[in-house]
């Protein structure tokens, strides 16, 4: 088979739209998918100038093309909106690769994939997430108000009528208060989980050790009261993620270590870091707490998962589900290794960052 | 006559030190709780209450309160609209407006302060929290 004919078959068989262009906005060659997208056949466009086809838009194409042609550096994954004549607006992802022809002329290979469906789904998902966040905020507000009234009512009765109340009634009031606090924790965690939705992340390089110091400092009272000791690395750990979100992950892990400390011994939590192969950094949290049995480990990151031992410990079972969700948003991962009665090891893997 | 004059001057002094507090909140229980906590601080407050923003703004213009506690999510006129309404009133230039809401949203905090609120207070979940707020408001009024 003649090479030229074989190339034509290959070009017309792929779903991507392919153009070969010169440095004056002229279309040298294109495939069938490209011609279809422009509403014609190959012969309608080959040898034509983009200025004749797209009017004003062509000037923008030329500027973009010349940037790549003159720099000699390919531009990959450019996402652009387009509106074909008599067509609906869509989105394409394009790769522009500079070429030199055998005659020494500067040319450009443009490979474009239609991503309209994916973009529409992404926009729909953004809208759903936005609605979910609004719903969570409203639900949280509407649930918190009656809860606040229950707690305030219990406090006022205890304060103003303490002498008239029997010990039994006082116990009931105290239990009411405890249950209301538990419910408030659940609502707060639910809201935190609902707020951990992709979309507004701010990925920068930062020192995870400095965030750990802030988290530990916020919990200094609980740490002192429980006689816990927490060892933080002395050297900075540079990672790339959203620092505000990662701070919430660290807070959850430290909270869990304190909550699930072994009653027989004070908590020892050692935090270390390890460079992984490739571009990842692992931050490891080793504790000597009650541990988690193997059967429970696979569910620990599920929503509303709680330790069976946790009946008397405050918490909602949402914290680790939130952590996992945040790590996905930060292109990271959270893993658990644990042995019952022998402590837990949480490993947070993140992209390595640059020292700033 | 001297006794009457002394009584009248004492009453006048007392009246002039009475501070007007306007609570604009559609939640009756929250109004009642903050009032309870403020009363524990002393008896030099006059309380006025409105259960929506529209009524609250009108009341603020009429009584020119020293402090307004303003909820955000309310019927007829929400907290931000009410804030603008009170701030646009020449009579209420000296009124301190504290947003008093169940929300802890950072965007709402920034919007409120940008639009003339003196501070943004998230409603606490227990009485001790209300008492702390009442104590701070008392300090604010007597500073």
């Amino acid at each position: 088979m003649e090479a030229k004919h074989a190339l034509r078959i290959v070009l017309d068989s792929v779903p991507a739209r392919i153009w070969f262009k010169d440095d004056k906005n002229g279309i040298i060659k294109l495939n069938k998918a490209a011609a279809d997208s422009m509403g014609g056949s190959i012969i309608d466009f080959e040898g034509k100038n983009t200025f004749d086809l797209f009017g004003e838009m062509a000037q923008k194409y030329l500027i973009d093309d010349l940037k790549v042609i003159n720099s000699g550096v390919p531009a990959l994954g450019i996402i652009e909106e387009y509106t074909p004549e008599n067509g609906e607006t869509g989105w394409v992802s394009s790769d522009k690769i500079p070429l030199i022809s055998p005659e020494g002329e500067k040319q450009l290979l443009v490979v474009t994939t239609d991503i309209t469906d994916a973009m529409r789904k992404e926009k729909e998902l953004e809208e759903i997430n936005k609605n979910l966040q609004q719903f969570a905020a409203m639900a949280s507000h509407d649930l918190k108000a009656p809860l606040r009234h229950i707690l305030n009512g219990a406090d006022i009765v205890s304060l103003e009528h303490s002498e008239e109340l029997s010990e039994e009634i006082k116990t009931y009031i105290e239990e009411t208060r405890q249950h209301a606090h538990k419910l408030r924790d659940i609502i707060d965690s639910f809201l935190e989980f609902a707020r951990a939705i992709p979309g507004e992340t701010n990925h920068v390089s930062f020192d995870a050790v400095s965030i750990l110091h802030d988290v530990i400092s916020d919990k200094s009272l609980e740490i002192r009261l429980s006689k816990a000791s927490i060892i933080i690395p002395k050297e900075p750990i540079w990672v790339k993620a959203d620092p505000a979100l990662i701070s919430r992950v660290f807070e959850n892990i430290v909270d869990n270590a304190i909550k699930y400390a072994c009653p027989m011994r004070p908590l020892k939590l050692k935090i270390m870091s390890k460079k992984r192969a490739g571009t990842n950094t692992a931050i490891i949290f080793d504790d000597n707490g009650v541990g988690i049995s193997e059967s429970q480990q696979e569910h620990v990151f599920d929503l509303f998962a709680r330790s069976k031992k946790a009946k008397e410990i405050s918490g909602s079972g949402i914290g680790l589900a939130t952590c996992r969700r945040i790590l996905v948003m930060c292109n990271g991962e959270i893993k658990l290794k644990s042995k019952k009665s022998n402590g837990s090891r949480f490993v947070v893997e993140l992209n390595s960052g640059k020292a700033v | 006559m001297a006794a009457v004059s002394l009584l009248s001057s004492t009453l006048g002094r007392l009246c002039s030190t009475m501070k007007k507090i306007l609570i604009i909140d559609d939640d009756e229980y929250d109004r009642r709780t903050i009032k309870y906590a403020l009363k524990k601080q002393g008896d030099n407050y006059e309380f006025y209450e409105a259960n929506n923003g529209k009524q609250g703004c009108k009341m603020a213009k009429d009584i020119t309160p020293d402090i307004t506690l303003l909820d955000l999510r309310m019927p007829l006129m929400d907290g931000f609209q009410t804030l603008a309404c009170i701030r646009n009133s020449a009579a209420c230039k000296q009124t301190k407006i504290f947003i008093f809401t169940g929300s802890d949203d950072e965007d709402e905090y920034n919007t409120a302060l940008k639009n003339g609120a003196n501070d943004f207070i998230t409603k606490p979940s227990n009485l001790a929290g209300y008492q702390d707020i009442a104590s701070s408001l008392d300090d604010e009024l007597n500073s």
Side-chain angles (χ1 to χ4, degrees):
Chain A
M1 190 187 292
E2 196 192 338
K4 218 172 172 182
H5 182 60
L7 176 65
R8 171 54 64 194
I9 292 172
V10 171
L11 282 177
D12 290 346
S13 305
V14 294
R17 302 162 190 175
I18 300 170
W19 289 266
F20 287 92
K21 292 174 76 180
D22 62 23
D23 58 353
K24 292 171 192 68
N25 234 358
I27 298 172
I28 303 165
K29 195 182 277 295
L30 74 167
N31 73 345
K32 188 174 177 305
D36 286 348
S37 75
M38 293 160 77
S41 58
I42 291 171
I43 52 162
D44 295 330
F45 304 111
E46 241 171 36
K48 297 274 168 61
N49 194 289
T50 312
F51 280 110
D52 300 329
L53 301 165
F54 291 107
E56 279 180 23
M57 279 300 289
Q59 184 59 34
K60 188 188 173 302
Y61 295 149
L62 180 62
I63 292 167
D64 292 347
D65 291 356
L66 287 176
K67 267 185 207 162
V68 177
I69 290 172
N70 293 333
S71 71
V73 180
L76 305 175
I78 310 159
I79 293 176
E80 289 166 316
E81 203 174 300
Y82 77 101
T83 310
E85 211 172 319
N86 305 322
E88 257 187 76
T89 299
W91 287 268
V92 288
S93 171
S94 301
D95 295 338
K96 294 187 176 183
I97 298 146
L99 302 168
I100 302 285
S101 74
E103 293 77 32
E105 286 164 345
K106 287 179 173 180
Q107 294 180 349
L108 186 71
L109 166 65
V110 183
V111 181
T112 295
T113 313
D114 193 315
I115 54 164
T116 304
D117 281 350
M119 288 296 280
R120 283 203 183 120
K121 283 199 174 91
E122 197 179 309
K123 287 197 181 298
E124 276 171 27
L125 203 58
E126 270 173 26
E127 192 61 26
I128 290 168
N129 282 338
K130 206 171 129 193
N131 290 341
L132 182 65
Q133 276 184 312
Q134 280 172 351
F135 168 76
M138 284 307 292
S140 157
H141 177 267
D142 290 353
L143 289 170
K144 271 182 176 176
L147 199 56
R148 192 166 59 236
H149 305 326
I150 293 170
L151 281 163
N152 287 335
D155 284 348
I156 292 173
V157 170
S158 302
L159 201 69
E160 298 289 338
H161 304 281
S162 178
E163 286 171 12
E164 303 152 40
L165 300 173
S166 68
E167 285 309 309
E168 192 187 2
I169 297 293
K170 280 182 189 168
T171 307
Y172 280 128
I173 291 174
E174 186 48 36
E175 283 172 2
T176 304
R177 202 182 275 138
Q178 281 171 13
H179 291 305
H181 277 297
K182 206 176 271 183
L183 186 54
R184 191 192 56 196
D185 287 347
I186 293 171
I187 294 169
D188 284 344
S189 307
F190 173 69
L191 187 62
E192 193 184 353
F193 180 77
R195 278 176 178 163
I197 281 175
E200 290 171 16
T201 47
N202 170 34
H203 287 195
V204 292
S205 286
F206 65 94
D207 175 17
V209 171
S210 129
I211 302 271
L212 281 166
H213 277 294
D214 290 346
V215 168
I216 302 300
S217 158
D218 286 348
K219 304 199 174 299
S220 56
L221 182 65
E222 289 159 84
I223 292 166
R224 209 169 54 238
L225 289 176
S226 62
K227 295 183 179 158
S229 64
I230 298 180
I231 301 165
I232 299 177
K234 289 194 172 69
E235 297 298 316
I237 306 172
W238 295 105
V239 290
K240 191 173 183 190
D242 185 319
L245 291 175
I246 294 303
S247 169
R248 281 158 64 187
V249 171
F250 291 169
E251 206 180 313
N252 265 303
I253 297 175
V254 173
D255 264 345
N256 276 342
I258 296 170
K259 274 182 200 166
Y260 297 106
C262 181
M264 312 297 289
R265 54 183 183 252
L267 167 70
K268 273 189 187 168
L269 175 63
K270 190 176 179 191
I271 306 167
M272 303 160 278
S273 79
K274 258 187 190 172
K275 274 269 185 195
R276 293 288 197 224
T279 56
N280 280 7
T281 296
I283 303 166
I284 301 159
F285 297 75
D286 256 340
D287 71 45
N288 63 342
V290 294
I292 302 164
S293 69
E294 279 189 29
S295 62
Q296 279 185 277
Q297 279 177 44
E298 57 182 299
H299 302 296
V300 83
F301 296 108
D302 294 346
L303 200 55
F304 300 118
R306 294 196 69 205
S307 159
K308 280 179 186 168
K309 282 195 169 186
K311 277 185 183 163
E312 66 285 357
I313 300 169
S314 69
S316 57
I318 303 175
L320 287 175
T322 306
C323 289
R324 186 172 63 175
R325 208 166 180 178
I326 287 174
L327 265 304
V328 169
M329 288 160 64
C330 292
N331 305 319
E333 207 179 346
I334 182 166
K335 293 176 199 161
L336 164 70
K337 277 183 191 165
S338 180
K339 276 191 178 164
K340 202 171 163 70
S341 312
N342 216 3
S344 299
R345 165 177 279 202
F346 283 95
V347 181
V348 173
E349 279 201 25
L350 290 166
N351 286 329
S352 302
K354 288 178 189 164
V356 286
Chain B
M1 281 299 283
V4 171
S5 161
L6 182 64
L7 180 66
S8 150
S9 110
T10 308
L11 276 174
R13 198 152 34 80
L14 273 176
C15 286
S16 68
T17 57
M18 288 299 273
K19 302 289 184 186
K20 294 178 195 167
I21 297 183
L22 171 61
I23 307 166
I24 309 174
D25 195 328
D26 61 329
D27 191 321
E28 181 199 341
Y29 298 100
D30 279 332
R31 295 203 305 270
R32 201 194 292 165
T33 310
I34 191 64
K35 232 164 63 177
Y36 170 89
L38 279 162
K39 279 179 182 170
K40 291 277 174 193
Q41 294 296 320
D43 53 6
N44 57 333
Y45 301 122
E46 270 174 32
F47 292 102
Y48 299 85
E49 295 177 48
N51 63 10
N52 65 64
K54 204 171 171 187
Q55 186 192 8
C57 184
K58 186 180 178 307
M59 215 178 243
K61 287 174 185 171
D62 291 344
I63 61 167
T64 60
D66 295 286
I67 278 183
T68 294
L69 293 173
L70 177 60
D71 188 22
L72 287 182
R73 292 182 180 90
M74 288 184 296
L76 296 180
M77 192 189 262
D78 72 21
F80 289 116
Q81 291 169 312
T82 313
L83 176 64
C85 177
I86 300 175
R87 275 287 167 253
N88 284 335
S89 156
C92 298
K93 286 283 174 244
Q94 302 300 317
T95 296
K96 289 180 176 168
I97 305 175
F98 295 93
I99 302 297
F100 191 54
T101 170
S103 162
D104 58 359
D105 186 277
E106 209 179 317
D107 290 341
E108 289 185 330
Y109 170 90
N110 291 327
T111 308
L113 263 56
K114 206 172 121 191
N115 289 290
N118 293 76
D119 208 344
F120 187 101
I121 305 166
T122 299
K123 287 173 184 171
S125 59
N126 58 23
L127 190 63
Y130 276 81
Q131 284 168 328
D132 287 344
I133 290 164
S135 165
S136 303
L137 290 174
D138 191 57
D139 290 345
E140 185 76 36
L141 281 168
N142 295 309
S143 62

